[in-house]
Amino acid sequence: MLRQRTEETERQTEKSDTQRKRDRESAPRAACCPETFALKSAPPHCRSPLCRLIRWTALLPAPATVSLQPSSGWRKKDRTDAHVRMAVTLEEAPWLGWILVKALLRFAFMVANNLVALLSYLCYVIVLQPLRLLDSKRFWYIEGFMYKWLLGMVASWGWYAGYTVMEWGDDIKAVSKDEAVMLVNHQATGDVCTLMMCLQDKGLVVAQMMWLMDHIFKYTNFGIVSLIHGDFFIRQGKSHRDQQLLLLKKHLENNYRSRDRKWIVLFPEGGFLRKRRETSQAFAKKNNLPFLTHVTLPRIGATNIILSALVARQENGSPSEGDAKELESKSKGLQWIIDTTIAYPKAEPIDIQTWILGYRKPTVTHVHYRIFPIKDVPLETDGLSDWLYQRFIEKEELLSHFYETGAFPPPKGHKEAVSREMTLSNMWIFLIQSFAFLSGYMWYKIIQYFYHCLF
């Protein structure tokens, strides 16, 4: 009887030791990811620093497994595992250190770049105010060039981090001199940076472009430049919608053609995909509309205002009298709708922090264009709403095909799709950056001189 009790006590002791070892092994895993209790189960869409670290850790070599041994045997194996995990960490430390140093250096350069470029832009605009009174067309032409250079600097931050663009579909260079509206799907803040890059080689498009963006961008470092250039900041929400559309109409009438603008960039979804998807799907279910996953249903208001304000109205097949005079003296009116679809590999969009700090591996963003003549677009509200919904249903199909195959589908009547790699000239980037820093130094000396003269 005593012997049986002794054997039973030893078995319980071994079982208790085994359970304690399992608890020690599982404890750090639970601490790293308490919601999922596993290192490799961090949700791929999460952007928090914790889950980024978890996903990175999941890529490291797995530590050696150990068999459970009684008493001192398994403790010896456990110490071996600890050494293996420490060795992996030390091997990866130089790479992590380099990523951190590179991010800090890029951030420091970005701050310096903003200071000299934005302040120089403001000084040039102030000095050129007399020209604005004498010849406003020439003033806005010069301002447009400086605006393009500023956007080129932002594009260069991503370019030198390895974030490039591959273009598909229609060649929009063919319509770069005409008036057009770009309808773009919106996934993250990096969408704006991507457009700044891929439109740099499209002639004067960037210089003569007007952006419609969320009002929060007004309070960023670039907000003052956009205000001067004539971009429109729209406030989201039902309580502001009607008022904002009236302000947009007035803004277009006062600033679009008087400043010789050609293109308008619009995000009809009215917000980021991750923020609007659930609401959009609920609206679609309630109104018997298509269930979309990669885009959301667009809002019609801003598009309707833009077309109403900029498309030459027709009367009996010819422009009305007032529009005819305007078209003859200034432009032919809005001529094209450019349906633009941005796709990121693995559906992981780039945000502005990544664009600035460059801690993500080099990535190719894919942009698909489809051009529609304005004569093929219905201008009445119901017809335009159906037409716009159809465009975003097509975007859903394009993105589904891209995420499955890594490429956009070929156009109708073609066997394969053709892509074009967009490139930036390193010499051109060097020249605009040099101009920015030299201008910053020049204005610093001028301000310093007047300060000493006055004080």
Side-chain angles (χ1 to χ4, degrees):
M1 179 68 70
L2 179 62
R3 183 177 180 181
Q4 290 179 352
R5 289 181 179 178
T6 303
E7 291 176 352
E8 183 177 358
T9 302
E10 290 178 353
R11 285 196 299 271
Q12 290 179 352
T13 302
E14 291 179 2
K15 183 177 180 180
S16 178
D17 291 340
T18 302
Q19 184 62 37
R20 282 197 296 271
K21 172 173 170 46
R22 289 175 178 172
D23 291 341
R24 281 196 299 271
E25 290 180 338
S26 63
R29 295 163 67 88
C32 288
C33 196
E35 295 180 358
T36 56
F37 206 72
L39 282 171
K40 295 185 180 181
S41 61
H45 61 274
C46 182
R47 299 295 172 191
S48 67
L50 175 61
C51 286
R52 288 178 186 267
L53 180 61
I54 291 172
R55 285 194 293 272
W56 172 80
T57 307
L59 299 176
L60 299 178
T65 58
V66 297
S67 59
L68 298 180
Q69 300 292 339
S71 187
S72 62
W74 64 263
R75 291 191 181 94
K76 186 175 181 180
K77 285 288 185 180
D78 190 49
R79 288 195 297 271
T80 302
D81 284 352
H83 291 315
V84 171
R85 288 194 292 270
M86 182 61 70
V88 170
T89 303
L90 292 176
E91 289 175 359
E92 297 293 335
W95 177 77
L96 288 175
W98 165 240
I99 293 295
L100 178 60
V101 170
K102 184 176 71 170
L104 292 174
L105 290 174
R106 285 177 59 88
F107 181 76
F109 175 79
M110 182 274 295
V111 172
N113 205 181
N114 271 279
L115 286 174
V116 297
L118 298 183
L119 292 177
S120 296
Y121 170 87
L122 293 176
C123 290
Y124 281 122
V125 168
I126 293 172
V127 170
L128 290 173
Q129 286 303 305
L131 178 62
R132 181 179 180 179
L133 298 175
L134 298 173
D135 189 348
S136 62
K137 184 177 181 180
R138 190 173 300 274
F139 169 83
W140 290 116
Y141 181 81
I142 297 172
E143 186 276 336
F145 263 103
M146 294 190 293
Y147 184 81
K148 180 181 179 180
W149 293 342
L150 290 176
L151 268 60
M153 294 174 195
V154 176
S156 70
W157 303 341
W159 177 258
Y160 286 118
Y163 307 144
T164 57
V165 174
M166 190 71 71
E167 297 179 311
W168 302 73
D170 297 333
D171 185 2
I172 61 175
K173 287 183 180 179
V175 299
S176 61
K177 295 183 179 180
D178 300 328
E179 291 187 20
V181 175
M182 295 189 77
L183 304 178
V184 191
N185 63 310
H186 208 9
Q187 301 181 58
T189 50
D191 298 341
V192 176
C193 301
T194 297
L195 291 175
M196 288 180 180
M197 175 183 287
C198 63
L199 295 177
Q200 286 292 323
D201 65 342
K202 308 299 188 294
L204 295 177
V205 163
V206 177
Q208 298 175 309
M209 176 179 289
M210 178 183 289
W211 295 77
L212 268 65
M213 60 187 78
D214 193 275
H215 80 287
I216 194 65
F217 286 98
K218 183 191 298 185
Y219 308 105
T220 65
N221 58 326
F222 212 77
I224 183 63
V225 175
S226 293
L227 282 172
I228 294 173
H229 182 71
D231 297 330
F232 184 77
F233 299 94
I234 191 165
R235 187 182 294 272
Q236 305 294 340
K238 292 182 179 180
S239 59
H240 305 286
R241 188 169 300 166
D242 293 338
Q243 181 188 17
Q244 290 297 302
L245 292 178
L246 291 175
L247 291 174
L248 173 59
K249 182 179 180 181
K250 185 177 180 180
H251 183 83
L252 292 171
E253 293 172 350
N254 294 337
N255 298 296
Y256 184 76
R257 292 207 169 95
S258 65
R259 301 187 182 190
D260 195 27
R261 299 294 173 247
K262 296 290 186 181
W263 284 28
I264 295 180
V265 178
L266 174 64
F267 300 96
E269 291 166 292
F272 297 141
L273 173 63
R274 68 177 187 275
K275 293 183 177 181
R276 289 210 62 244
R277 178 159 40 199
E278 184 176 348
T279 304
S280 174
Q281 290 174 347
F283 179 83
K285 183 178 181 180
K286 181 179 179 181
N287 294 275
N288 197 26
L289 294 170
F291 188 87
L292 305 178
T293 303
H294 305 304
V295 294
T296 64
L297 291 172
R299 293 172 175 170
I300 189 70
T303 307
N304 192 20
I305 291 294
I306 292 171
L307 297 185
S308 299
L310 301 182
V311 174
R313 294 179 297 277
Q314 302 287 320
E315 293 184 2
N316 298 325
S318 61
S320 60
E321 182 179 355
D323 288 329
K325 293 179 180 179
E326 183 179 358
L327 294 178
E328 183 179 356
S329 60
K330 293 186 177 181
S331 69
K332 298 178 181 179
L334 193 65
Q335 295 179 270
W336 310 100
I337 301 289
I338 303 174
D339 185 28
T340 307
T341 305
I342 300 176
Y344 298 93
K346 300 180 181 179
E348 297 179 354
I350 297 176
D351 53 29
I352 187 65
Q353 300 93 320
T354 305
W355 194 270
I356 292 172
L357 299 178
Y359 52 77
R360 181 171 169 176
K361 293 181 179 180
T363 302
V364 179
T365 302
H366 298 257
V367 182
H368 183 276
Y369 306 109
R370 188 179 178 191
I371 302 175
F372 295 88
I374 198 66
K375 63 182 179 62
D376 295 340
V377 180
L379 300 182
E380 66 276 6
T381 302
D382 292 339
L384 179 61
S385 179
D386 293 340
W387 184 88
L388 199 57
Y389 280 167
Q390 186 59 38
R391 299 289 74 76
F392 275 77
I393 293 172
E394 291 177 0
K395 285 179 183 291
E396 176 79 9
E397 296 171 354
L398 286 172
L399 291 171
S400 297
H401 188 279
F402 177 85
Y403 294 141
E404 291 174 2
T405 65
F408 284 112
K412 293 182 179 180
H414 295 75
K415 294 183 178 180
E416 61 181 20
V418 179
S419 61
R420 306 174 297 277
E421 184 179 4
M422 185 271 161
T423 59
L424 289 178
S425 169
N426 292 324
M427 178 57 68
W428 178 74
I429 294 175
F430 173 78
L431 290 175
I432 62 174
Q433 292 285 11
S434 299
F435 177 78
F437 282 96
L438 290 174
S439 295
Y441 179 76
M442 179 191 73
W443 288 113
Y444 169 76
K445 299 300 289 185
I446 291 174
I447 294 172
Q448 185 184 48
Y449 172 78
F450 281 105
Y451 178 81
H452 287 302
C453 290
L454 295 174
F455 303 100

